[in-house]
Amino acid sequence: MTSTHTGSDTGTDTGSDDPQVAEATAAEYETLSPACRADADRLRSFLAPDFHEFGASGGEIFFEGTAERVAASTDPEGEPIGVERMRGVRLADGLVMLKYTADIEGRRSHRTSLWRRVAPGRWQMFHNQGTPARA
């Protein structure tokens, strides 16, 4: 069953008691919200200048133009991206890896993202991997 984030995530398996994992998880959920995705400036603030993604579509995506492309295709009043089993682990101080399954309009993908702390309480994603998941 797909669930959307409502402020508490009972699906977090690991790292839930680690404040760095909690901060990175909150940042991830923000980037998945329609309001953030529809606002290029807001979304761009969560992407590191060296951002890179291997998309579930098979394409490779880089920082330049990503926030604008996402914003242009997002309805700010639309459905949030569904999230299952969000879990995270701190790899080092200021470095967090998150894993979850996303459901975007019926297209499911396993996701891994890497977040780095760039200032106290401020995180940016520098890598994302999407792999198609079975229905």
Side-chain angles (χ1 to χ4, degrees):
M1 170 183 277
T2 301
S3 63
T4 56
H5 182 59
T6 58
S8 65
D9 182 19
T10 58
T12 301
D13 297 352
T14 60
S16 59
D17 59 345
D18 184 318
Q20 290 188 33
V21 172
E23 288 177 358
T25 299
E28 181 85 37
Y29 274 116
E30 179 70 15
T31 67
L32 298 173
S33 75
C36 181
R37 295 176 71 78
D39 181 337
D41 290 334
R42 188 169 160 189
L43 180 59
R44 190 179 309 103
S45 74
F46 287 98
L47 301 178
D50 59 342
F51 173 77
H52 176 263
E53 177 176 340
F54 289 118
S57 65
E60 207 169 347
I61 301 160
F62 299 93
F63 175 82
E64 193 64 40
T66 293
E68 293 76 14
R69 283 189 302 277
V70 171
S73 65
T74 301
D75 175 0
E77 303 298 320
E79 288 294 315
I81 292 173
V83 174
E84 295 176 15
R85 297 189 59 236
M86 176 74 75
R87 57 217 186 269
V89 63
R90 182 179 357 165
L91 301 175
D93 186 41
L95 178 62
V96 170
M97 178 176 62
L98 300 175
K99 296 188 251 182
Y100 60 98
T101 300
D103 186 318
I104 304 171
E105 298 176 353
R107 292 185 323 270
R108 293 172 45 82
S109 59
H110 298 299
R111 296 277 169 176
T112 301
S113 58
L114 294 172
W115 289 84
R116 82 170 63 98
R117 186 179 52 213
V118 294
R122 188 167 180 294
W123 292 78
Q124 288 186 326
M125 182 190 307
F126 66 94
H127 182 75
N128 189 272
Q129 169 77 46
T131 304
R134 294 187 187 138

mmCIF file of all heavy atoms in Angstrom, residues 71-116:
data_model
loop_
_atom_site.group_PDB
_atom_site.id
_atom_site.type_symbol
_atom_site.label_atom_id
_atom_site.label_comp_id
_atom_site.label_asym_id
_atom_site.label_seq_id
_atom_site.Cartn_x
_atom_site.Cartn_y
_atom_site.Cartn_z
ATOM 1 N N ALA A 71 9.178 21.696 -12.526
ATOM 2 C CA ALA A 71 8.137 22.693 -12.229
ATOM 3 C C ALA A 71 7.143 22.820 -13.378
ATOM 4 O O ALA A 71 5.930 22.920 -13.149
ATOM 5 C CB ALA A 71 8.772 24.043 -11.916
ATOM 6 N N ALA A 72 7.642 22.795 -14.601
ATOM 7 C CA ALA A 72 6.771 22.954 -15.758
ATOM 8 C C ALA A 72 5.793 21.793 -15.909
ATOM 9 O O ALA A 72 4.712 21.958 -16.488
ATOM 10 C CB ALA A 72 7.605 23.096 -17.031
ATOM 11 N N SER A 73 6.139 20.633 -15.365
ATOM 12 C CA SER A 73 5.273 19.459 -15.528
ATOM 13 C C SER A 73 4.528 19.092 -14.242
ATOM 14 O O SER A 73 3.941 18.014 -14.166
ATOM 15 C CB SER A 73 6.101 18.266 -16.001
ATOM 16 O OG SER A 73 7.033 17.892 -15.016
ATOM 17 N N THR A 74 4.541 19.972 -13.229
ATOM 18 C CA THR A 74 3.918 19.657 -11.945
ATOM 19 C C THR A 74 2.762 20.588 -11.648
ATOM 20 O O THR A 74 2.900 21.812 -11.726
ATOM 21 C CB THR A 74 4.947 19.764 -10.801
ATOM 22 O OG1 THR A 74 6.018 18.858 -11.061
ATOM 23 C CG2 THR A 74 4.317 19.413 -9.458
ATOM 24 N N ASP A 75 1.628 20.014 -11.292
ATOM 25 C CA ASP A 75 0.463 20.767 -10.824
ATOM 26 C C ASP A 75 0.625 20.962 -9.316
ATOM 27 O O ASP A 75 0.646 19.978 -8.573
ATOM 28 C CB ASP A 75 -0.813 19.978 -11.129
ATOM 29 C CG ASP A 75 -2.073 20.615 -10.572
ATOM 30 O OD1 ASP A 75 -1.992 21.680 -9.928
ATOM 31 O OD2 ASP A 75 -3.152 20.028 -10.774
ATOM 32 N N PRO A 76 0.739 22.214 -8.842
ATOM 33 C CA PRO A 76 0.951 22.419 -7.407
ATOM 34 C C PRO A 76 -0.195 21.900 -6.535
ATOM 35 O O PRO A 76 -0.018 21.664 -5.345
ATOM 36 C CB PRO A 76 1.108 23.934 -7.267
ATOM 37 C CG PRO A 76 0.505 24.506 -8.492
ATOM 38 C CD PRO A 76 0.639 23.466 -9.564
ATOM 39 N N GLU A 77 -1.352 21.685 -7.139
ATOM 40 C CA GLU A 77 -2.503 21.140 -6.403
ATOM 41 C C GLU A 77 -2.661 19.643 -6.650
ATOM 42 O O GLU A 77 -3.639 19.037 -6.221
ATOM 43 C CB GLU A 77 -3.786 21.864 -6.824
ATOM 44 C CG GLU A 77 -3.742 23.374 -6.621
ATOM 45 C CD GLU A 77 -3.577 23.754 -5.165
ATOM 46 O OE1 GLU A 77 -4.190 23.103 -4.297
ATOM 47 O OE2 GLU A 77 -2.830 24.701 -4.892
ATOM 48 N N GLY A 78 -1.713 19.052 -7.366
ATOM 49 C CA GLY A 78 -1.804 17.641 -7.734
ATOM 50 C C GLY A 78 -1.540 16.702 -6.568
ATOM 51 O O GLY A 78 -1.259 17.114 -5.444
ATOM 52 N N GLU A 79 -1.623 15.433 -6.869
ATOM 53 C CA GLU A 79 -1.390 14.384 -5.871
ATOM 54 C C GLU A 79 0.092 14.325 -5.529
ATOM 55 O O GLU A 79 0.939 14.388 -6.410
ATOM 56 C CB GLU A 79 -1.830 13.026 -6.421
ATOM 57 C CG GLU A 79 -3.329 12.866 -6.523
ATOM 58 C CD GLU A 79 -3.981 12.861 -5.152
ATOM 59 O OE1 GLU A 79 -3.481 12.180 -4.237
ATOM 60 O OE2 GLU A 79 -4.993 13.562 -5.011
ATOM 61 N N PRO A 80 0.408 14.172 -4.252
ATOM 62 C CA PRO A 80 1.820 13.991 -3.894
ATOM 63 C C PRO A 80 2.324 12.631 -4.375
ATOM 64 O O PRO A 80 1.541 11.720 -4.628
ATOM 65 C CB PRO A 80 1.827 14.067 -2.368
ATOM 66 C CG PRO A 80 0.416 13.890 -1.944
ATOM 67 C CD PRO A 80 -0.471 14.186 -3.108
ATOM 68 N N ILE A 81 3.609 12.543 -4.505
ATOM 69 C CA ILE A 81 4.223 11.274 -4.872
ATOM 70 C C ILE A 81 4.035 10.313 -3.708
ATOM 71 O O ILE A 81 4.313 10.652 -2.554
ATOM 72 C CB ILE A 81 5.710 11.477 -5.205
ATOM 73 C CG1 ILE A 81 5.826 12.301 -6.489
ATOM 74 C CG2 ILE A 81 6.434 10.139 -5.323
ATOM 75 C CD1 ILE A 81 7.231 12.714 -6.833
ATOM 76 N N GLY A 82 3.552 9.115 -3.998
ATOM 77 C CA GLY A 82 3.379 8.106 -2.960
ATOM 78 C C GLY A 82 4.724 7.561 -2.520
ATOM 79 O O GLY A 82 5.636 7.414 -3.332
ATOM 80 N N VAL A 83 4.844 7.280 -1.247
ATOM 81 C CA VAL A 83 6.107 6.794 -0.679
ATOM 82 C C VAL A 83 5.832 5.565 0.168
ATOM 83 O O VAL A 83 4.923 5.563 0.985
ATOM 84 C CB VAL A 83 6.773 7.884 0.190
ATOM 85 C CG1 VAL A 83 8.002 7.329 0.896
ATOM 86 C CG2 VAL A 83 7.129 9.092 -0.652
ATOM 87 N N GLU A 84 6.634 4.542 -0.043
ATOM 88 C CA GLU A 84 6.589 3.330 0.781
ATOM 89 C C GLU A 84 7.967 3.091 1.364
ATOM 90 O O GLU A 84 8.976 3.271 0.688
ATOM 91 C CB GLU A 84 6.244 2.099 -0.070
ATOM 92 C CG GLU A 84 4.877 2.108 -0.680
ATOM 93 C CD GLU A 84 4.669 0.894 -1.574
ATOM 94 O OE1 GLU A 84 5.457 -0.078 -1.509
ATOM 95 O OE2 GLU A 84 3.713 0.936 -2.361
ATOM 96 N N ARG A 85 8.003 2.672 2.630
ATOM 97 C CA ARG A 85 9.214 2.186 3.296
ATOM 98 C C ARG A 85 10.391 3.157 3.226
ATOM 99 O O ARG A 85 11.515 2.756 2.928
ATOM 100 C CB ARG A 85 9.629 0.835 2.729
ATOM 101 C CG ARG A 85 8.600 -0.255 2.965
ATOM 102 C CD ARG A 85 9.105 -1.654 2.583
ATOM 103 N NE ARG A 85 10.296 -1.988 3.334
ATOM 104 C CZ ARG A 85 11.466 -2.343 2.781
ATOM 105 N NH1 ARG A 85 11.596 -2.439 1.496
ATOM 106 N NH2 ARG A 85 12.518 -2.623 3.543
ATOM 107 N N MET A 86 10.145 4.418 3.520
ATOM 108 C CA MET A 86 11.263 5.368 3.594
ATOM 109 C C MET A 86 12.169 4.950 4.749
ATOM 110 O O MET A 86 11.699 4.690 5.861
ATOM 111 C CB MET A 86 10.733 6.776 3.831
ATOM 112 C CG MET A 86 11.810 7.833 4.011
ATOM 113 S SD MET A 86 12.673 8.313 2.504
ATOM 114 C CE MET A 86 11.408 9.317 1.718
ATOM 115 N N ARG A 87 13.434 4.834 4.478
ATOM 116 C CA ARG A 87 14.399 4.486 5.502
ATOM 117 C C ARG A 87 15.727 5.149 5.163
ATOM 118 O O ARG A 87 15.987 5.444 3.989
ATOM 119 C CB ARG A 87 14.559 2.981 5.635
ATOM 120 C CG ARG A 87 14.957 2.296 4.344
ATOM 121 C CD ARG A 87 14.284 0.939 4.220
ATOM 122 N NE ARG A 87 14.733 0.194 3.073
ATOM 123 C CZ ARG A 87 14.162 0.230 1.876
ATOM 124 N NH1 ARG A 87 13.129 1.028 1.644
ATOM 125 N NH2 ARG A 87 14.613 -0.507 0.893
ATOM 126 N N GLY A 88 16.503 5.404 6.173
ATOM 127 C CA GLY A 88 17.747 6.110 5.939
ATOM 128 C C GLY A 88 18.836 5.683 6.882
ATOM 129 O O GLY A 88 18.586 5.080 7.926
ATOM 130 N N VAL A 89 20.057 6.032 6.492
ATOM 131 C CA VAL A 89 21.219 5.740 7.311
ATOM 132 C C VAL A 89 22.228 6.876 7.124
ATOM 133 O O VAL A 89 22.390 7.397 6.030
ATOM 134 C CB VAL A 89 21.835 4.365 6.941
ATOM 135 C CG1 VAL A 89 22.349 4.341 5.521
ATOM 136 C CG2 VAL A 89 22.902 3.963 7.919
ATOM 137 N N ARG A 90 22.862 7.262 8.247
ATOM 138 C CA ARG A 90 23.930 8.247 8.162
ATOM 139 C C ARG A 90 25.197 7.512 7.750
ATOM 140 O O ARG A 90 25.643 6.589 8.431
ATOM 141 C CB ARG A 90 24.131 8.948 9.492
ATOM 142 C CG ARG A 90 25.212 10.006 9.361
ATOM 143 C CD ARG A 90 25.555 10.828 10.552
ATOM 144 N NE ARG A 90 24.833 10.660 11.768
ATOM 145 C CZ ARG A 90 25.268 11.137 12.912
ATOM 146 N NH1 ARG A 90 26.416 11.791 12.977
ATOM 147 N NH2 ARG A 90 24.574 10.971 14.011
ATOM 148 N N LEU A 91 25.788 7.912 6.643
ATOM 149 C CA LEU A 91 27.014 7.290 6.147
ATOM 150 C C LEU A 91 28.252 7.916 6.788
ATOM 151 O O LEU A 91 29.277 7.260 6.947
ATOM 152 C CB LEU A 91 27.092 7.401 4.628
ATOM 153 C CG LEU A 91 25.933 6.763 3.866
ATOM 154 C CD1 LEU A 91 26.053 7.050 2.373
ATOM 155 C CD2 LEU A 91 25.863 5.268 4.131
ATOM 156 N N ALA A 92 28.152 9.205 7.084
ATOM 157 C CA ALA A 92 29.217 9.964 7.745
ATOM 158 C C ALA A 92 28.563 11.229 8.273
ATOM 159 O O ALA A 92 27.402 11.519 7.947
ATOM 160 C CB ALA A 92 30.337 10.299 6.756
ATOM 161 N N ASP A 93 29.292 11.997 9.058
ATOM 162 C CA ASP A 93 28.726 13.242 9.541
ATOM 163 C C ASP A 93 28.367 14.127 8.340
ATOM 164 O O ASP A 93 29.209 14.384 7.476
ATOM 165 C CB ASP A 93 29.727 13.962 10.449
ATOM 166 C CG ASP A 93 29.117 15.185 11.096
ATOM 167 O OD1 ASP A 93 27.942 15.113 11.526
ATOM 168 O OD2 ASP A 93 29.807 16.215 11.160
ATOM 169 N N GLY A 94 27.103 14.521 8.271
ATOM 170 C CA GLY A 94 26.649 15.377 7.176
ATOM 171 C C GLY A 94 26.376 14.659 5.870
ATOM 172 O O GLY A 94 26.210 15.313 4.832
ATOM 173 N N LEU A 95 26.302 13.340 5.877
ATOM 174 C CA LEU A 95 26.048 12.551 4.666
ATOM 175 C C LEU A 95 25.034 11.452 4.984
ATOM 176 O O LEU A 95 25.297 10.589 5.828
ATOM 177 C CB LEU A 95 27.348 11.927 4.155
ATOM 178 C CG LEU A 95 27.253 11.042 2.917
ATOM 179 C CD1 LEU A 95 26.750 11.836 1.711
ATOM 180 C CD2 LEU A 95 28.604 10.414 2.616
ATOM 181 N N VAL A 96 23.885 11.499 4.307
ATOM 182 C CA VAL A 96 22.789 10.559 4.573
ATOM 183 C C VAL A 96 22.328 9.913 3.275
ATOM 184 O O VAL A 96 22.206 10.584 2.247
ATOM 185 C CB VAL A 96 21.606 11.282 5.258
ATOM 186 C CG1 VAL A 96 20.367 10.389 5.328
ATOM 187 C CG2 VAL A 96 21.996 11.749 6.649
ATOM 188 N N MET A 97 22.087 8.610 3.331
ATOM 189 C CA MET A 97 21.488 7.879 2.216
ATOM 190 C C MET A 97 20.065 7.496 2.609
ATOM 191 O O MET A 97 19.836 6.949 3.684
ATOM 192 C CB MET A 97 22.274 6.612 1.889
ATOM 193 C CG MET A 97 21.648 5.803 0.751
ATOM 194 S SD MET A 97 22.630 4.360 0.257
ATOM 195 C CE MET A 97 22.623 3.391 1.756
ATOM 196 N N LEU A 98 19.118 7.786 1.714
ATOM 197 C CA LEU A 98 17.725 7.399 1.906
ATOM 198 C C LEU A 98 17.329 6.401 0.831
ATOM 199 O O LEU A 98 17.790 6.493 -0.312
ATOM 200 C CB LEU A 98 16.813 8.630 1.823
ATOM 201 C CG LEU A 98 17.078 9.723 2.849
ATOM 202 C CD1 LEU A 98 16.179 10.921 2.570
ATOM 203 C CD2 LEU A 98 16.872 9.206 4.257
ATOM 204 N N LYS A 99 16.449 5.464 1.195
ATOM 205 C CA LYS A 99 15.905 4.483 0.243
ATOM 206 C C LYS A 99 14.407 4.380 0.470
ATOM 207 O O LYS A 99 13.953 4.427 1.614
ATOM 208 C CB LYS A 99 16.545 3.108 0.451
ATOM 209 C CG LYS A 99 18.023 3.064 0.180
ATOM 210 C CD LYS A 99 18.513 1.631 0.222
ATOM 211 C CE LYS A 99 19.344 1.410 1.452
ATOM 212 N NZ LYS A 99 19.889 0.065 1.544
ATOM 213 N N TYR A 100 13.660 4.241 -0.625
ATOM 214 C CA TYR A 100 12.211 4.091 -0.535
ATOM 215 C C TYR A 100 11.683 3.663 -1.894
ATOM 216 O O TYR A 100 12.422 3.614 -2.883
ATOM 217 C CB TYR A 100 11.545 5.401 -0.088
ATOM 218 C CG TYR A 100 11.773 6.577 -1.004
ATOM 219 C CD1 TYR A 100 10.831 6.956 -1.955
ATOM 220 C CD2 TYR A 100 12.937 7.333 -0.914
ATOM 221 C CE1 TYR A 100 11.042 8.037 -2.798
ATOM 222 C CE2 TYR A 100 13.153 8.413 -1.733
ATOM 223 C CZ TYR A 100 12.207 8.770 -2.680
ATOM 224 O OH TYR A 100 12.427 9.848 -3.513
ATOM 225 N N THR A 101 10.402 3.347 -1.925
ATOM 226 C CA THR A 101 9.727 3.064 -3.184
ATOM 227 C C THR A 101 8.751 4.203 -3.439
ATOM 228 O O THR A 101 8.002 4.592 -2.548
ATOM 229 C CB THR A 101 8.987 1.715 -3.129
ATOM 230 O OG1 THR A 101 9.952 0.687 -2.856
ATOM 231 C CG2 THR A 101 8.286 1.408 -4.440
ATOM 232 N N ALA A 102 8.800 4.740 -4.639
ATOM 233 C CA ALA A 102 7.930 5.855 -5.024
ATOM 234 C C ALA A 102 6.866 5.360 -5.992
ATOM 235 O O ALA A 102 7.101 4.454 -6.795
ATOM 236 C CB ALA A 102 8.747 6.962 -5.690
ATOM 237 N N ASP A 103 5.706 5.982 -5.917
ATOM 238 C CA ASP A 103 4.619 5.730 -6.861
ATOM 239 C C ASP A 103 4.222 7.072 -7.449
ATOM 240 O O ASP A 103 3.676 7.935 -6.771
ATOM 241 C CB ASP A 103 3.435 5.085 -6.160
ATOM 242 C CG ASP A 103 2.341 4.671 -7.139
ATOM 243 O OD1 ASP A 103 2.043 5.443 -8.069
ATOM 244 O OD2 ASP A 103 1.791 3.582 -6.958
ATOM 245 N N ILE A 104 4.543 7.251 -8.729
ATOM 246 C CA ILE A 104 4.236 8.486 -9.435
ATOM 247 C C ILE A 104 3.213 8.155 -10.511
ATOM 248 O O ILE A 104 3.540 7.563 -11.535
ATOM 249 C CB ILE A 104 5.497 9.110 -10.063
ATOM 250 C CG1 ILE A 104 6.564 9.332 -8.989
ATOM 251 C CG2 ILE A 104 5.152 10.416 -10.781
ATOM 252 C CD1 ILE A 104 7.915 9.737 -9.528
ATOM 253 N N GLU A 105 1.953 8.471 -10.204
ATOM 254 C CA GLU A 105 0.841 8.219 -11.137
ATOM 255 C C GLU A 105 0.842 6.783 -11.632
ATOM 256 O O GLU A 105 0.708 6.510 -12.820
ATOM 257 C CB GLU A 105 0.895 9.213 -12.293
ATOM 258 C CG GLU A 105 0.749 10.649 -11.846
ATOM 259 C CD GLU A 105 0.892 11.659 -12.968
ATOM 260 O OE1 GLU A 105 1.245 11.273 -14.114
ATOM 261 O OE2 GLU A 105 0.655 12.832 -12.693
ATOM 262 N N GLY A 106 1.028 5.838 -10.702
ATOM 263 C CA GLY A 106 0.976 4.421 -11.039
ATOM 264 C C GLY A 106 2.287 3.827 -11.514
ATOM 265 O O GLY A 106 2.381 2.621 -11.712
ATOM 266 N N ARG A 107 3.301 4.650 -11.723
ATOM 267 C CA ARG A 107 4.630 4.153 -12.097
ATOM 268 C C ARG A 107 5.451 4.041 -10.820
ATOM 269 O O ARG A 107 5.743 5.033 -10.173
ATOM 270 C CB ARG A 107 5.306 5.101 -13.099
ATOM 271 C CG ARG A 107 4.634 5.122 -14.447
ATOM 272 C CD ARG A 107 5.391 5.982 -15.451
ATOM 273 N NE ARG A 107 6.002 7.189 -14.897
ATOM 274 C CZ ARG A 107 5.412 8.383 -14.819
ATOM 275 N NH1 ARG A 107 4.183 8.552 -15.244
ATOM 276 N NH2 ARG A 107 6.053 9.419 -14.309
ATOM 277 N N ARG A 108 5.831 2.811 -10.494
ATOM 278 C CA ARG A 108 6.575 2.563 -9.255
ATOM 279 C C ARG A 108 8.064 2.456 -9.551
ATOM 280 O O ARG A 108 8.463 1.882 -10.565
ATOM 281 C CB ARG A 108 6.078 1.288 -8.599
ATOM 282 C CG ARG A 108 4.651 1.412 -8.093
ATOM 283 C CD ARG A 108 4.076 0.089 -7.622
ATOM 284 N NE ARG A 108 4.961 -0.706 -6.798
ATOM 285 C CZ ARG A 108 5.144 -0.545 -5.486
ATOM 286 N NH1 ARG A 108 4.500 0.397 -4.845
ATOM 287 N NH2 ARG A 108 5.962 -1.338 -4.821
ATOM 288 N N SER A 109 8.859 3.016 -8.646
ATOM 289 C CA SER A 109 10.313 2.897 -8.780
ATOM 290 C C SER A 109 10.939 2.844 -7.388
ATOM 291 O O SER A 109 10.445 3.452 -6.443
ATOM 292 C CB SER A 109 10.893 4.068 -9.575
ATOM 293 O OG SER A 109 10.592 5.301 -8.958
ATOM 294 N N HIS A 110 12.022 2.073 -7.309
ATOM 295 C CA HIS A 110 12.827 2.053 -6.095
ATOM 296 C C HIS A 110 13.774 3.244 -6.205
ATOM 297 O O HIS A 110 14.361 3.481 -7.262
ATOM 298 C CB HIS A 110 13.618 0.756 -5.973
ATOM 299 C CG HIS A 110 12.743 -0.445 -5.884
ATOM 300 N ND1 HIS A 110 11.828 -0.646 -4.867
ATOM 301 C CD2 HIS A 110 12.627 -1.517 -6.702
ATOM 302 C CE1 HIS A 110 11.199 -1.788 -5.058
ATOM 303 N NE2 HIS A 110 11.664 -2.329 -6.174
ATOM 304 N N ARG A 111 13.914 3.990 -5.116
ATOM 305 C CA ARG A 111 14.712 5.216 -5.117
ATOM 306 C C ARG A 111 15.783 5.165 -4.047
ATOM 307 O O ARG A 111 15.550 4.680 -2.942
ATOM 308 C CB ARG A 111 13.827 6.433 -4.847
ATOM 309 C CG ARG A 111 12.797 6.690 -5.912
ATOM 310 C CD ARG A 111 13.410 7.448 -7.018
ATOM 311 N NE ARG A 111 12.559 7.522 -8.189
ATOM 312 C CZ ARG A 111 12.861 8.207 -9.265
ATOM 313 N NH1 ARG A 111 13.992 8.886 -9.314
ATOM 314 N NH2 ARG A 111 12.064 8.203 -10.295
ATOM 315 N N THR A 112 16.940 5.672 -4.395
ATOM 316 C CA THR A 112 18.016 5.904 -3.446
ATOM 317 C C THR A 112 18.497 7.322 -3.682
ATOM 318 O O THR A 112 18.734 7.716 -4.826
ATOM 319 C CB THR A 112 19.186 4.919 -3.664
ATOM 320 O OG1 THR A 112 18.696 3.590 -3.521
ATOM 321 C CG2 THR A 112 20.306 5.164 -2.683
ATOM 322 N N SER A 113 18.615 8.089 -2.611
ATOM 323 C CA SER A 113 19.143 9.445 -2.741
ATOM 324 C C SER A 113 20.244 9.663 -1.716
ATOM 325 O O SER A 113 20.240 9.078 -0.636
ATOM 326 C CB SER A 113 18.032 10.487 -2.575
ATOM 327 O OG SER A 113 17.402 10.362 -1.331
ATOM 328 N N LEU A 114 21.187 10.498 -2.098
ATOM 329 C CA LEU A 114 22.286 10.874 -1.225
ATOM 330 C C LEU A 114 22.177 12.360 -0.934
ATOM 331 O O LEU A 114 22.065 13.179 -1.860
ATOM 332 C CB LEU A 114 23.634 10.562 -1.879
ATOM 333 C CG LEU A 114 23.921 9.081 -2.095
ATOM 334 C CD1 LEU A 114 25.183 8.905 -2.930
ATOM 335 C CD2 LEU A 114 24.059 8.360 -0.765
ATOM 336 N N TRP A 115 22.195 12.684 0.344
ATOM 337 C CA TRP A 115 22.038 14.060 0.824
ATOM 338 C C TRP A 115 23.278 14.477 1.598
ATOM 339 O O TRP A 115 23.816 13.693 2.369
ATOM 340 C CB TRP A 115 20.831 14.148 1.748
ATOM 341 C CG TRP A 115 19.526 14.021 1.035
ATOM 342 C CD1 TRP A 115 18.899 12.855 0.677
ATOM 343 C CD2 TRP A 115 18.692 15.079 0.597
ATOM 344 N NE1 TRP A 115 17.721 13.141 0.039
ATOM 345 C CE2 TRP A 115 17.558 14.514 -0.018
ATOM 346 C CE3 TRP A 115 18.781 16.473 0.678
ATOM 347 C CZ2 TRP A 115 16.534 15.269 -0.561
ATOM 348 C CZ3 TRP A 115 17.756 17.237 0.127
ATOM 349 C CH2 TRP A 115 16.655 16.629 -0.487
ATOM 350 N N ARG A 116 23.697 15.749 1.396
ATOM 351 C CA ARG A 116 24.787 16.290 2.198
ATOM 352 C C ARG A 116 24.308 17.554 2.898
ATOM 353 O O ARG A 116 23.547 18.332 2.338
ATOM 354 C CB ARG A 116 26.036 16.503 1.369
ATOM 355 C CG ARG A 116 26.101 17.757 0.569
ATOM 356 C CD ARG A 116 27.488 18.031 -0.042
ATOM 357 N NE ARG A 116 27.947 17.069 -0.988
ATOM 358 C CZ ARG A 116 27.861 17.204 -2.319
ATOM 359 N NH1 ARG A 116 27.319 18.275 -2.862
ATOM 360 N NH2 ARG A 116 28.317 16.273 -3.109
#
